Amino acid sequence: MRHRPADIQDSALRDTLRAWGIETADSELTYLPVGFGDHHWAASGTDGRRWFVTVADLAHKPYCGTGVPAAARGLAAAMDTAAALRADAGLDFVVAPLRTPDGGATVQRLGAAGGRYAVSVFPHVAGEASGFGDLLPPEERARAIDLLAALHTARPPAAIRPRTPALSARPALEEALRDLGRPWETGPYAERVRALLRERRGELRRRLDAFDRAAARLTGAPVVTHGEPHSANLL
């Protein structure tokens, strides 16, 4: 995230931003080397308004879905959920993506790099975030707990995707466990990893089975939550 992708041009991003009625010039798009997992720009419109633009690489978002089409659907559901929580549930502390004026979409595909990128637009909020791993002071931690409590009592929006506990990399792990009988040549640590998995395969399988049994016993109504309410995700 510290370096902008070489295959995203400002012209393509400007074209996509027009879906939100945003008109910018070259000098009004600034790449921001911040965050983790997505790419970000600051945008200033010709009318003086400002936005925070997020570009997600759908080829690398397994927690939204496996593969670009599934990740696009998962990302749209997450963004729609945030927008509904702010607009319909009245949770004004949710910094939600803006909807396009025509179709009310929170996500638009970027017309570049084979459609692997997706764009969302947020209002520009003046604020400061802590770093990853920083501990919140007690008074801020108490405020964050209050916000989470309000989020957990909100009615789940229609867009939300109920999820059962799962390991996002489970398919890759299962494939690796099935492929231990031949040498791995994918990198300098590949054979060391294969040897470790062969040695611990039985224990790992028992742990996975125990996880599956515990997940199957879960009951109750779904609760809206934030997957990572740590200090770096709070303004």
Side-chain angles (χ1 to χ4, degrees):
M1 306 307 109
R2 301 302 178 184
H3 304 281
R4 66 173 292 167
D7 53 354
I8 297 180
Q9 304 300 318
D10 282 354
S11 58
L13 188 53
R14 285 200 310 273
D15 289 343
T16 306
L17 291 178
R18 290 191 179 101
W20 284 270
I22 299 174
E23 294 288 342
T24 66
D26 286 344
S27 60
E28 295 165 334
L29 276 177
T30 305
Y31 185 74
L32 303 175
V34 297
F36 183 83
D38 294 321
H39 301 280
H40 305 287
W41 277 258
S44 299
T46 53
D47 57 2
R49 292 185 295 166
R50 301 177 67 191
W51 297 271
F52 185 80
V53 180
T54 294
V55 179
D57 186 347
L58 299 173
H60 297 284
K61 293 189 83 67
Y63 40 87
C64 288
T66 302
V68 169
R73 293 191 295 271
L75 178 64
M79 293 296 182
D80 287 348
T81 296
L85 287 171
R86 183 178 180 91
D88 303 330
L91 301 184
D92 58 3
F93 59 84
V94 177
V95 182
L98 303 175
R99 295 190 180 277
T100 57
D102 54 356
T106 57
V107 177
Q108 292 285 317
R109 300 290 280 274
L110 183 67
R116 64 182 277 187
Y117 294 109
V119 180
S120 294
V121 176
F122 296 80
H124 183 274
V125 178
E128 186 173 321
S130 301
F132 288 92
D134 290 352
L135 293 179
L136 293 173
E139 64 277 8
E140 291 187 18
R141 186 162 59 247
R143 289 181 62 197
I145 291 172
D146 289 342
L147 297 183
L148 285 172
L151 179 63
H152 291 177
T153 56
R155 178 189 294 272
I160 201 167
R161 300 171 66 192
R163 304 181 73 93
T164 56
L167 303 173
S168 62
R170 181 73 173 265
L173 178 58
E174 295 285 2
E175 182 180 356
L177 290 174
R178 291 191 298 267
D179 195 34
L180 296 175
R182 64 178 182 85
W184 289 2
E185 301 176 349
T186 53
Y189 300 103
E191 276 297 279
R192 292 170 63 180
V193 172
R194 185 173 75 98
L196 181 61
L197 286 177
R198 291 186 65 179
E199 177 186 349
R200 301 296 179 89
R201 174 170 44 188
E203 181 180 351
L204 180 57
R205 176 54 62 192
R206 287 191 294 273
R207 295 295 184 95
L208 290 172
D209 292 343
F211 179 90
D212 291 340
R213 290 193 299 271
R217 291 196 298 267
L218 291 177
T219 60
V223 173
V224 186
T225 191
H226 188 295
E228 293 184 299
H230 54 66
S231 56
N233 281 336
L234 298 171
L235 280 177

